Amino acid sequence: MQDLNWKKLQNGSDIRGVAIDGVPSEPVNLTPEIAQRLGQAFTTWLATKLSKAPTELQIAVGRDSRISGPTLMQGVMAGIVSLGAQVYDFAMASTPAMFMSTVTPGFDCDGAIMMTASHLPFNRNGLKFFTTQGGLGKPDITEILTLAEQNDFAVVTTARAITERDFISVYADQLVEKIRTAVSHPENFEQPLQGLKIIVDAGNGAGGFYANKVLEPLGADTTGSQFLDPDGMFPNHIPNPENHDAMASICEAVLANKADFGIIFDTDVDRSAAVDHQGLELNRNRLIALISAIVLKEHPGSTIVTDSITSDGLAQFIEQDLQGKHHRFKRGYKNVITEAVRLNQTGEESWLAIETSGHGAMRENYFLDDGAYLVSKLLIELAKANQSGRSLTDLIATLKEPQESREIRIKIGVDEFKAYGESVIEQLKAFVGEQSDWSLVPDNYEGIRVACSSAGEDGWFLLRLSLHDPVLPLNIESNVEGGVAKIVERLLVFLKGIESLQCNH
């Protein structure tokens, strides 16, 4: 551990590392011993923030299905109890449930830790931290890693016993009651989803509980649900709603089982997507449009905050069809959520912050990015639509979608990639200024967004710098067939003139 680069474990507002050996060029840097010290560091940090002694703290720990989870979790819990704090072992859990343990009466945890690396490969793992104020930010993670590196902890002579608690059932019950109350079925309050076949694809992550602990008590037929059993090797597909194979799998399952609705979660259930009865994917812009339609019925005229790569058709749908306000901000779910919180503090009402990746957070739910809560909101509307003979997707019937869309990731081949990437963006602005049918989109908060107005292109592109990697992601959409290729062709003229860029177009 003396040679460990603790800073390399930071990934924005999370800690992530390699926990399993065997993948070439990926040495292990997250061991049970390191996890133990991270548990001690979080406990010390939390005690300082709350002006409490470590022995006064209650901290919950949970994990997803990763094969390294059990041993790393034991390390984290050993670190916490070594300082005299009370630890609750939640075993298999979801990331949103871990936060909810800090605000649920009867648990009232001072802090919580989730062991997860979201949709990353099987050899990775990590830690997400929560207090009653929500997930920690980047500066907090930096402080915790500094404490871990210093390794100066006041260890107690007698540690408390770790207490096992079943919190995922408590959390699931909260969702069940939310749906029952919101639907308020006049004839079947207890089972408002009776008569509906709804299938879940958990991707062998932690989301399998939703089928038997939420849907079945509400009366839904979950026959055909798949990959509910936790398996950290993810043998069927990556548990990621953005993954093509994962979405194809749930779409096929919905059609094969003649289901009314399909649900897919990522590994730790902070993201989700859905599928309608015709096998239509309800993710990315469609998911945002659908939940926006629900939110703007409840809170007319309020602001929907999204990330930077949402489509022009979505903006038009929110602002013209739904009469709401669309605030297109930066990539990164923490950025989107923080911006929505800021808007509310300044007096601009915002009830939804959502990224195209499927991270969706609602003001009514602590601005917690909770895939299960988001899906539950959709199910409430599905049940209401079913009662009145409507389809859920009637809500987005007027959404205009692009004919084509594409993402190209351009690698930056220099060490100081952030400064270099910003210089490329500035050069592109000058290039755009020389094009008669291209124009900069106003009120853009990230990179450069360009409207392409010629009849053969009729679309837009956004070039931005990745949040963490030496990459310039390029997102392109067009409303005409062949339009993306034409935009790419013109951009290549610019990109080929810049050194140290690798563009696999």
Side-chain angles (χ1 to χ4, degrees):
M1 265 194 280
Q2 290 180 342
D3 299 326
L4 178 67
N5 184 345
W6 289 89
K7 292 179 181 178
K8 281 197 71 173
L9 290 173
Q10 180 159 5
N11 185 340
S13 56
D14 299 341
I15 286 175
R16 287 184 180 171
V18 178
I20 299 291
D21 205 358
V23 177
S25 303
E26 294 191 9
V28 171
N29 65 350
L30 185 57
T31 64
E33 293 75 23
I34 291 167
Q36 179 172 335
R37 200 182 291 184
L38 290 169
Q40 292 173 315
F42 176 64
T43 305
T44 302
W45 176 89
L46 185 61
T48 301
K49 292 295 178 183
L50 298 181
S51 299
K52 289 184 174 183
T55 53
E56 298 177 276
L57 297 177
Q58 297 185 113
I59 299 174
V61 184
R63 63 178 176 85
D64 67 16
S65 61
R66 294 174 180 278
I67 58 175
S68 58
T71 54
L72 287 180
M73 188 167 161
Q74 289 300 319
V76 168
M77 293 191 297
I80 297 170
V81 297
S82 74
L83 303 189
Q86 172 68 63
V87 173
Y88 296 132
D89 177 353
F90 284 179
M92 191 72 61
S94 73
T95 292
M98 296 312 299
F99 165 74
M100 291 302 296
S101 73
T102 70
V103 294
T104 297
F107 285 82
D108 302 309
C109 296
D110 298 293
I113 301 174
M114 177 67 178
M115 310 291 302
T116 183
S118 189
H119 61 281
L120 293 182
F122 77 96
N123 66 323
R124 311 291 183 87
N125 214 323
L127 295 83
K128 289 177 181 278
F129 303 93
F130 296 95
T131 69
T132 56
Q133 303 304 304
L136 270 54
K138 291 181 184 179
D140 303 318
I141 302 301
T142 301
E143 289 179 25
I144 288 170
L145 287 170
T146 299
L147 288 169
E149 186 172 16
Q150 291 170 347
N151 194 27
D152 183 19
F153 303 115
V155 176
V156 297
T157 53
T158 304
R160 296 189 192 182
I162 296 170
T163 304
E164 295 180 0
R165 302 287 295 273
D166 174 17
F167 186 75
I168 199 68
S169 295
V170 175
Y171 166 76
D173 287 344
Q174 293 172 346
L175 297 175
V176 168
E177 289 308 311
K178 168 74 179 176
I179 295 170
R180 281 178 178 151
T181 303
V183 176
S184 193
H185 196 291
E187 299 172 0
N188 195 349
F189 179 85
E190 290 293 312
Q191 297 193 316
L193 301 183
Q194 195 168 64
L196 290 169
K197 177 176 275 196
I198 303 172
I199 63 177
V200 175
D201 182 332
N204 301 112
F209 76 92
Y210 198 85
N212 68 334
K213 291 183 181 291
V214 179
L215 293 178
E216 290 175 12
L218 291 168
D221 177 359
T222 60
T223 306
S225 291
Q226 58 187 20
F227 318 138
L228 303 182
D229 294 331
D231 185 336
M233 295 303 293
F234 310 126
N236 295 291
H237 60 67
I238 297 170
N240 181 6
E242 286 195 291
N243 179 266
H244 177 270
D245 292 340
M247 286 307 300
S249 182
I250 182 63
C251 288
E252 290 170 9
V254 166
L255 293 174
N257 291 279
K258 296 183 172 57
D260 297 291
F261 202 63
I263 298 165
I264 183 169
F265 294 117
D266 77 339
T267 320
D268 60 325
V269 203
D270 60 1
R271 292 187 296 131
S272 60
V275 179
D276 80 351
H277 68 285
Q278 296 178 314
L280 176 71
E281 295 181 17
L282 300 173
N283 62 350
R284 301 180 67 81
N285 287 294
R286 288 181 195 144
L287 179 63
I288 297 173
L290 192 56
I291 191 64
S292 294
I294 294 168
V295 167
L296 287 168
K297 277 202 302 182
E298 298 170 348
H299 307 284
S302 60
T303 298
I304 307 296
V305 181
T306 73
D307 62 345
S308 59
I309 65 169
T310 47
S311 70
D312 290 344
L314 177 68
Q316 179 181 321
F317 178 73
I318 290 172
E319 297 194 334
Q320 297 180 19
D321 297 36
L322 301 179
Q323 296 295 297
K325 183 177 179 182
H326 180 210
H327 181 47
R328 187 189 282 130
F329 197 55
K330 300 176 183 178
R331 286 283 275 175
Y333 73 95
K334 289 287 284 188
N335 288 331
V336 174
I337 293 171
T338 301
E339 180 67 1
V341 171
R342 185 192 70 80
L343 290 178
N344 282 295
Q345 290 170 344
T346 61
E348 182 173 339
E349 192 178 1
S350 177
W351 288 83
L352 174 66
I354 185 166
E355 199 184 29
T356 49
S357 65
H359 279 287
M362 306 190 71
R363 177 175 161 181
E364 68 187 51
N365 189 42
Y366 306 93
F367 270 121
L368 174 66
D369 52 316
D370 185 343
Y373 190 91
L374 188 70
V375 160
S376 297
K377 290 287 287 188
L378 299 186
L379 290 179
I380 291 165
E381 198 62 35
L382 176 68
K384 291 179 178 179
N386 186 57
Q387 288 178 36
S388 58
R390 295 179 291 110
S391 168
L392 176 64
T393 46
D394 289 347
L395 290 174
I396 57 171
T398 59
L399 173 66
K400 294 178 181 177
E401 301 192 68
Q403 183 81 15
E404 301 176 337
S405 63
R406 187 175 174 192
E407 179 174 277
I408 300 171
R409 296 178 68 80
I410 304 167
K411 294 182 180 179
I412 303 173
V414 299
D415 290 336
E416 299 297 324
F417 67 88
K418 289 190 176 180
Y420 194 83
E422 294 294 349
S423 72
V424 172
I425 290 170
E426 289 302 313
Q427 292 174 65
L428 179 56
K429 287 180 181 177
F431 179 78
V432 168
E434 299 167 358
Q435 314 299 309
S436 62
D437 54 352
W438 283 5
S439 60
L440 296 179
V441 174
D443 300 323
N444 181 59
Y445 295 88
E446 182 174 45
I448 173 175
R449 188 177 178 114
V450 176
C452 308
S453 59
S454 72
E457 295 175 350
D458 188 15
W460 60 270
F461 68 82
L462 175 80
L463 184 72
R464 62 183 177 86
L465 185 61
S466 171
L467 296 176
H468 307 297
D469 303 318
V471 170
L472 287 163
L474 173 65
N475 291 89
I476 312 168
E477 287 190 357
S478 172
N479 297 314
V480 295
E481 190 173 344
V484 167
K486 290 181 180 178
I487 295 171
V488 170
E489 185 178 356
R490 290 175 66 179
L491 281 169
L492 285 176
V493 173
F494 164 77
L495 292 169
K496 285 179 178 177
I498 300 179
E499 296 180 354
S500 302
L501 294 183
Q502 181 182 341
C503 179
N504 296 321
H505 63 283

